Amino acid sequence: MAVLAFGRPVKGGKRQWGASLFGHAYASTDQIQEAVQAYAEGYVGCSLGGPRLTVAIGTSNYGPGVSYRHGAAWALMVNAANQWLGGKGYGGLVEFAGANDIELSWNGPRASKSWVRGYDSVAEWPYYDFGDAAGCPPRGNCLGAWTPEDVWFVSWGARTAWPLPQIYTPSGSMAQQWYRLSLYSYLHHGWRMTIAGTLSQHIACRQSSDPCRGMDNSPAKAWGQLNGMLNRDRRTAQRLPWSSDFRWGS
């Protein structure tokens, strides 16, 4: 899996939704679709029939643009990109999904859940929550107005949601939070939270002047922490399919 993150939701002219490109520019959903399609063509051209790649097209829950309408626009973009893949005959090698870096300190549950419901309203493909569970058990009861139920909903409870959580801390604290959320799902909803994999930022930290002390897990360690915690408990036992690591690119 490759998560291509395009920044926070932004509304451009003529009601065209898009993303911020991390403050460098504005890109509409049409422009983002063109970019991810070019990425897919590059993979198909170089993979020589290699493993099937899931390309998760990412935004976040940061800022005032987080809304039902943006979520729906993002899902329509993902739908259209997958239709393009089918027309090109690339479906066996690549698929597109949505993605959202849902971080509890960036926005409250009301706006974040509204985006999710918008995405769900028209989506034909899943989205991956590649965010955090800041302050959640065993550290507390989640940050701000968030509750474990809210985090469960945006990462797993919604129809199209799959968790791909940030597991940045070598101490294992973030892995512990997501193990506890999987257990919460079992205890309160009758089935574990099935987690798609882990996300680290090892390379991104080395590309930046920020050393990321205490947040610089390697991909292997992030995966091992969460996989180990989940599989010590029969109620949450599962094998994580993916491990992904962030880097800055352009």
Side-chain angles (χ1 to χ4, degrees):
M1 165 174 271
V3 178
L4 304 183
F6 290 91
R8 64 182 174 87
V10 174
K11 187 176 183 181
K14 298 182 181 180
R15 299 183 179 180
Q16 177 69 58
W17 292 99
S20 67
L21 302 186
F22 297 94
H24 294 293
Y26 160 80
S28 70
T29 52
D30 289 342
Q31 291 171 319
I32 292 168
Q33 183 182 333
E34 290 177 4
V36 299
Q37 288 171 183
Y39 186 93
E41 286 195 307
Y43 179 76
V44 170
C46 297
S47 68
L48 302 177
R52 192 171 194 229
L53 177 68
T54 296
V55 179
I57 310 169
T59 182
S60 76
N61 72 327
Y62 186 84
V66 180
S67 66
Y68 184 98
R69 289 184 177 180
H70 187 275
W74 209 256
L76 289 172
M77 173 186 63
V78 174
N79 293 348
N82 278 296
Q83 290 168 3
W84 175 87
L85 283 175
K88 298 286 284 188
Y90 294 161
L93 282 173
V94 184
E95 71 175 23
F96 292 116
N100 195 316
D101 182 3
I102 299 177
E103 302 209 17
L104 277 53
S105 65
W106 284 354
N107 219 320
R110 183 175 180 178
S112 304
K113 290 163 75 173
S114 182
W115 187 96
V116 168
R117 291 188 175 104
Y119 188 95
D120 255 2
S121 70
V122 292
E124 299 172 9
W125 299 83
Y127 81 90
Y128 293 89
D129 172 12
F130 64 103
D132 67 11
C136 288
R139 303 185 69 180
N141 194 41
C142 302
L143 199 67
W146 287 87
T147 66
E149 180 70 13
D150 294 326
V151 182
W152 172 85
F153 176 79
V154 301
S155 58
W156 177 243
R159 176 178 67 88
T160 55
W162 285 84
L164 183 72
Q166 298 171 3
I167 308 296
Y168 293 168
T169 52
S171 68
S173 60
M174 296 176 87
Q176 180 74 13
Q177 288 172 324
W178 286 92
Y179 155 69
R180 291 288 292 269
L181 282 164
S182 184
L183 181 59
Y184 173 91
S185 182
Y186 177 90
L187 295 174
H188 294 271
H189 295 281
W191 186 248
R192 72 183 186 215
M193 175 186 285
T194 302
I195 298 175
T198 58
L199 184 65
S200 53
Q201 57 178 358
H202 193 70
I203 294 177
C205 289
R206 278 147 184 76
Q207 292 176 305
S208 168
S209 59
D210 180 358
C212 304
R213 290 188 180 91
M215 300 283 284
D216 58 348
N217 255 352
S218 69
K221 188 167 184 178
W223 186 91
Q225 283 177 347
L226 186 54
N227 189 66
M229 289 182 187
L230 292 170
N231 287 288
R232 285 199 294 263
D233 188 333
R234 61 175 179 78
R235 299 169 294 180
T236 60
Q238 59 191 278
R239 184 169 176 82
L240 301 181
W242 292 321
S243 171
S244 196
D245 190 64
F246 266 135
R247 70 174 66 213
W248 289 101
S250 59

